[in-house]
Amino acid sequence: MPPNAAPPTHYLLPMGSIKRLLGGLSIFTMVMTIPQVLTIWIRHQAAGVSLLSWGAYFVSAAVWLWYGV
């Protein structure tokens, strides 16, 4: 590949949509973290940590990885 190759012009979604999706996922995962932090700090147990939250973290991480690659 030449040193100053042009960025790809074909994306699955337009770049504006991707950036909005990533911004929304970032906010969503931060909001999903609040109940988990409260569960651990108030009840002092990690048993109530939600599988839904971990799923949201996984989806967010997967989208960020896809964007990075």
Side-chain angles (χ1 to χ4, degrees):
M1 181 172 357
N4 293 323
T9 57
H10 58 285
Y11 292 103
L12 186 60
L13 296 171
M15 284 305 288
S17 296
I18 293 171
K19 289 184 179 185
R20 278 194 305 271
L21 174 66
L22 288 170
L25 278 173
S26 296
I27 292 170
F28 177 70
T29 54
M30 284 188 282
V31 170
M32 291 293 290
T33 302
I34 294 170
Q36 306 311 304
V37 169
L38 292 176
T39 298
I40 292 172
W41 281 354
I42 293 172
R43 296 183 186 161
H44 301 288
Q45 63 180 3
V49 176
S50 172
L51 183 59
L52 178 63
S53 293
W54 282 105
Y57 301 146
F58 177 76
V59 168
S60 179
V63 173
W64 275 105
L65 178 66
W66 170 72
Y67 176 71
V69 170

